Amino acid sequence: MPSRTAAATTEIEKSHTMPGLQFNEPLSWRAGKPIAVAELLRRLQALSKEMQEMDQEEDERDSFTKVAKELVNPNLIAHKDKGVKALAASCLVDILRLCAPDAPYTGQQLRDIFNLIITQILPALADPSNAYNNQHLYVLSSLAQVKSILLLVDIPSAETLLKNVFQICFDVLSGSSKSSQGDELRKDVEINMTAMLVCLVDECNTLPPEVIDIIVAQFLRTDPKALGGNISKSKKNGAVDEKQSTLTLQQLPPAYDMAKYICNAVPERMARHFSQYFNDVIVDASTAPKEKAPSKGKKRRGEGADDSDDDLTGPTEEDLKELRKVHGLLRELWRACPGVLQNVIPQLEAELSAENIQLRLLATETFGDIVSGIGAAGLPAPPTLDPAAYPSNALSDPSENTVSLNLLTKPSSPLPFISAHPQAYSGYLGRKHDKSPLIRAAWTTGIGRILTTSAGGAGLSQQEEDRLMFDLCRMMGDADEKVRIAAVRVVASFNFRDIISKIGRAGGVTENSSLLATLADRVRDRKHPVREEAMVLIARIWGVAVGELSAGNEQISALVGGIPSKVLDTYYTNDMEIMALLDRVFFEQLLPLSYPPVKAKGTRLTNGHSQGAGGSQAAANHNEETMDPDKIRTERILLLVRDLDERAKKVFYAMQARQLVLSKVMTAYLMRCENYNGGVMEGNESEVKEHLTRIIKTFASMLPNPSQATADLWKFVKMHDRRSYQLVRFCMAPDSDYRTITKALKEFTKRIVESSSSMAASSGLLDTLMPLIYRVSLIVYNKSHVPAIMDFSRTDEKSLAATAHEVLREISSRTPEVLKAHVQEICKTLQDEAPSAQKPNEAGAVDNLKACASFAAKYPKEVPQDRKFVQAMASYALHGSPPEAAKYAVSIIWAASDKKEMLVRDLAQKCTKGFAYGGEGFLSRLATLSQLVLLAPNELDEQHTDATIDIAIKQILHQVREPSKKPADAYEWSSTVDTEAQAKCWALKILVNRVRSHPVAETLPEVASPVYSLLFKLIDQLGELSTASNTPPTHKSRLRLLAARLYLKLCTSKPHDALLTASAFNVLATVVQDPEKPVRVGFIHRLKKYLNAQKLPQRFYTIPFLFAFEPSDSLRSDTVTWIKSRATVFAGLRTQGSSSKTNIVLESTFARLLSLLCHHPDYGSATEDLVDFARYIIFYLQNVAKEDNLSLIYHIAQRVKQCRDAISASESTEHAAPSASEADERLYHLSDLAQTTIRKFEDMHNWTIQTLPSRIRLPSTLFAEIKSHSEAQRIAEHRYLPEGVEEGVEELLKAMVRAAKGTGKKRKSEGDHHAEGRDSKKPKGNLPIRKASGPKVAKEKKAASKKTAKTPKPKKKVEDKDQGSAERRRSGRVKEVEKSYAERDSEEDDEEMQMMDAPAEEEDTDTASEAYDSASEQFDEEDEVGKEGQDDDEEDAKDEPATRTAPKGKKKPPSASPRAKRASPRNKNSKQTRAKPSARGKAKTRDADDDDNDGLSEPPDFE
């Protein structure tokens, strides 16, 4: 800069002392005669002091000439004394200030001056304790304020000096060179350095690349990896106290702040520099030479990079490392100075479309973090959803509003990226359609961060937030599991408040298509990692919401109240992996064992917030001393049970029932472990090993990996840890309180870990043992919970009384042992609340009575037997309300009283004497008589028995006190039961109980015959008993259901089952096709209960296969799941080598099914009717047939054609039935139809039917041999199927495959799973009708001859009003079931039942598998009170909603009267409830396990 150096030294020799500067002492010396340091320092101090006090004056500049020359003398600026250099520098900056703008130095002299300042003075600023720190500060201040630093720009080739000044300034502020005493830098050092550097950046047209590198590097100081342990400058030598290592950063590093200020002060210039910088780095890395990837085998499509990325590796690892560093810088730069990235964002946007997947991935991740305001330090610690915390989170919890205290991780976006760069944001959103799942997963994570941070605090519009939520919901159903997992984890990153306010805005878990509902559906995902993530998360959400649920928050209840139902509903999948996960989630998330923690308050989160602060539970206001953990835990259990739907509630109770059975198996296992004695046995070595092998095989079959489970269980056996055995026994013992069980579980876990050689070994062993320990432990039905349950049942606190009563009933029936400590209290309460003619009992008394009756049946001596208590029970028997209270009171008297005979006669006398319908307590008296004739038939004299029968028949059943004014064929269901219907139900139970308790086998047929005829009439005539046909329609449905269930109860006894003829059985089977859904539900539930308990002969397995046309999605799905579970049981028996007769139960049922269809009232020989009946066969095959048993099923179908029908030939039936010849023709039609269907089914699955070596015997009560060989030959050679049937069956199978694929691709909710919830929401007019989902075969005969090439359109004709109920039973019931096995001669059936019911060689070992499966399937089982024969027929379908099935016409109802003249039962709204023609063709053929597929990528198999 010539103008500034023009006054160089040309006139220095002529200079003279000017008036301005008074200092006139020499500062330079000749060689060999130096000035003493002390003297030199004095002179420099004097000069510095004088010049600092001077102002800039134009006419005084010449006075500085001499001094200026001496100050740049090498003797001064290169002096070895630091003080001399400091004072010299102070004087030099004053010269520059006073002579500005023209410096009195040459370029080389200026270089020497700035070299002194940069290398000596500025670094010394890092040590505030330096003796010359004031001089150093003065130099810096002068350079910044006077802007003398700009002279540096004019020095030729000053790039090195520029780099050094930036490097040293940032090093000083970053603390790279610290003082010996660790003093803090003054704030003005940062301010002046910043101002100085801003001036340099603003003045320089171009900055050296090294300077840009230095500035950019400062933004990496927020990266924890870069920070290391050097955050604090306040500690001597940079040491950081370990106890303070977790403290949050209160302010940003000064060097970071200085770089940020520089960029924001001159954004245009820095934007240009940064654009070039990032362009060079990104382009260099992205255009690096690509090498061929080493071949490591083919990748599965969709599991990594796509096909286009498989051939090239893209950037090297070193390039990728550099790229990641650069993209991390971009994140931090957007947080600090978004203006400098205006030219970089388009470059980043271009990366989104790069061919290389790694570049796209980096760009996608960076975009998501930039929009979210997330810097190099990453996200703050995610909120902890702790389900075991107490008090639980609340919406008003202050900690929910607390922002992150760590400035490095606090999301912050100075500008709203969405509006600042809309084009780039739009390109980012397009990545949701990327072909690579890695990109889609990263994109999903990114939008989750945008949502959780509200775009870095910039805010999101409601429309934009809704769009992102919709996209998140969509990604949760992505075809790739990595994307689905990412979506689930995004939801996990929300805090409780955001889950409710943001995610919950679209609806709760029960609302289809909402994000929460989609998340809940992931618990049934096909991939276990997704299932695990989703199930754990939603269970945690519910656990955290318990506080609000307890407080009665309706919004929270609507959003998350259905979560436990969704979780428990996975039980129906029968997947062992899911079952193990369910156990873990149930006892670690929904009902965590550590809830509530001992220290109930102030549970600390990882981010330092208190989750318990402000909790909404009432216990939050109590101190720790007054907190009752048992009551708090019980409340949580009751809250969970209260909100369960019917399906989930069955699972909950089944899990508790499972404990009772598995504890016996576990007891046997522990006993055998002790006998094994670590491998050292005194005797019976083979027997012990054999028993252990069987038990371990049983346990292993319940776990996901049977082979690994077997090895782990043997390992536990060989450990021979007796203390562990005792700990498991503590967990199973009914007298163990909750604290004992939890302590035992903790110690057991600790011992397993300590005894294993490695963490991996202990983890594997625990993964096997803990699900089993959870299943056998009395955690829920624990005696510690009983007092709190009783308290809730009495006080109705938080409206939990009904649930408390329900749970108490279950406890009393399943594990009455836990009531031992509280039974006296229950009895005392019952005694105090005993009713009388003037005073009714409390509403909850019936539950206490049932609990007491269950306990008394097992422990009669523990029940009070004093006179007052017995009198109280007698009062309940006579005046109890509801009538069930009287029933249980009689059971208690019979079980516990010493004078039961006298009391029985007294009660019978009081109940029969002067009995009048409508009299005081007449329903209770009927219930008492019903129980008396069951429990004490020998104690009742003939007079009382005759009076009881007379009351039941003449005064109750034969009377119609409120005749119906509706048509005679009206048939309806009502959720409420009027008094007359109740009376008839109890009267019917009286008659049946008398038959059940009849002691003389020889006279049983005579006594039972009238009752069987009465039951048959009720079922066959749709509940009508009156000859005037004026029974109220709602009574008829109740009576028909009860008659069917009483039939089942009678058949649980072998002598009574023998009295049920084959024709009566066929009529009984049609109840599953009753017009009213509650009737079907109540009947099938009771049937499944008895079959699970092995109380019914195997012929009853035929009935569930009539569900092929069931219109209710949920009912059909439940039945399908049940059949599959039974198939699993029988398959387990087969693998255990049990008798072959018990191995083929469901296969041999096929012969009975064909016989049942032969006598079905809907049977027709026309083409369309036979194709319709093929649905039954397909329904059977889909759920039973496998490649290994299809040959047997086909052989059975062939054998049917080699016999005649034995029912029509041997029985004289009261109802319309085919003649013997007609029945034979039907049987042969069905045999040919079955063989054709099986062949088509075989071809569709590419299976092969093998020829069996021997013939299967068919039940002799159903089939008779053909005597004539020629007749048998003629029948075998004749083809009975009319033309068109084979094509119709083929089209039917294809249509079902298409429907299955469609259901697989379309992810949907559980549909109609809940009988009382979802069915009631479906429009009644849209019920599917029979033949809805298959190909329509033309109804006209001439159409039967045509080939069924395609599915004709459904008919538009409206069904006739007076169509028969038979068609209604067929109406649209299309669904699928699964496998199982067995059949043979009817006489052998009873023998097999004895074999199955008989105890094995040792009950605790050999029946393990049967016991477990029986208990685990009893979802709908009711309580058995008292002895085996005690009456438990309570109305299962009492509260079921009425659901109509559609009439079809043409077919006849199953009744004894002329069918053609009887109109089908119909309610008053029949026009609305009839299925519309448009509903045809829409029936679903979804299998119960199709939900597992969720339509994600591949359609389900046909089965």
Side-chain angles (χ1 to χ4, degrees), residues 375-603:
L379 276 170
T384 302
L385 298 176
D386 186 4
Y390 180 82
S392 302
N393 278 45
L395 294 180
S396 58
D397 193 338
S399 66
E400 288 288 330
N401 298 320
T402 305
V403 297
S404 173
L405 299 178
N406 193 331
L407 293 177
L408 299 184
T409 58
K410 176 184 177 183
S412 174
S413 180
L415 290 178
F417 185 93
I418 298 175
S419 58
H421 300 279
Q423 183 177 352
Y425 180 69
S426 177
Y428 169 69
L429 291 182
R431 286 304 93 200
K432 63 185 173 184
H433 301 299
D434 197 287
K435 60 183 178 180
S436 170
L438 292 176
I439 306 299
R440 297 198 303 274
W443 184 86
T444 302
T445 302
I447 65 168
R449 293 179 175 181
I450 295 172
L451 287 167
T452 54
T453 63
S454 293
L460 289 171
S461 66
Q462 192 64 60
Q463 180 181 3
E464 185 62 28
E465 187 173 297
D466 290 343
R467 177 167 71 167
L468 293 179
M469 284 293 183
F470 176 81
D471 288 337
L472 179 60
C473 182
R474 179 177 173 272
M475 302 314 283
M476 202 168 285
D478 190 89
D480 193 273
E481 64 177 295
K482 291 187 288 292
V483 183
R484 302 198 299 275
I485 290 177
V488 173
R489 289 175 177 171
V490 162
V491 178
S493 67
F494 284 73
N495 60 35
F496 179 58
R497 176 182 296 278
D498 285 345
I499 289 174
I500 300 304
S501 61
K502 293 182 179 180
I503 298 179
R505 189 169 57 247
V509 294
T510 58
E511 298 183 36
N512 292 338
S513 301
S514 71
L515 181 55
L516 284 175
T518 307
L519 172 64
D521 288 341
R522 290 304 96 221
V523 302
R524 299 171 68 92
D525 196 278
R526 291 177 297 113
K527 300 292 185 179
H528 183 70
V530 184
R531 291 196 300 259
E532 184 173 14
E533 294 271 356
M535 191 181 295
V536 170
L537 174 58
I538 66 168
R540 281 182 178 171
I541 293 174
W542 185 87
V544 172
V546 160
E548 292 292 341
L549 292 172
S550 176
N553 189 319
E554 295 183 0
Q555 177 197 10
I556 304 298
S557 180
L559 291 178
V560 304
I563 285 178
S565 296
K566 291 286 187 179
V567 172
L568 294 180
D569 195 58
T570 59
Y571 194 100
Y572 289 93
T573 60
N574 287 324
D575 183 285
M576 295 300 107
E577 203 167 28
I578 295 180
M579 303 278 271
L581 174 61
L582 175 59
D583 289 321
R584 181 163 64 86
V585 169
F586 189 82
F587 293 111
E588 296 176 8
Q589 310 298 335
L590 293 177
L591 299 176
L593 297 175
S594 59
Y595 179 85
V598 176
K599 295 182 180 180
K601 289 202 166 188
T603 303

Side-chain angles (χ1 to χ4, degrees), residues 427 627 658 1189:
M627 183 184 71
R658 177 184 63 183
N1189 66 1

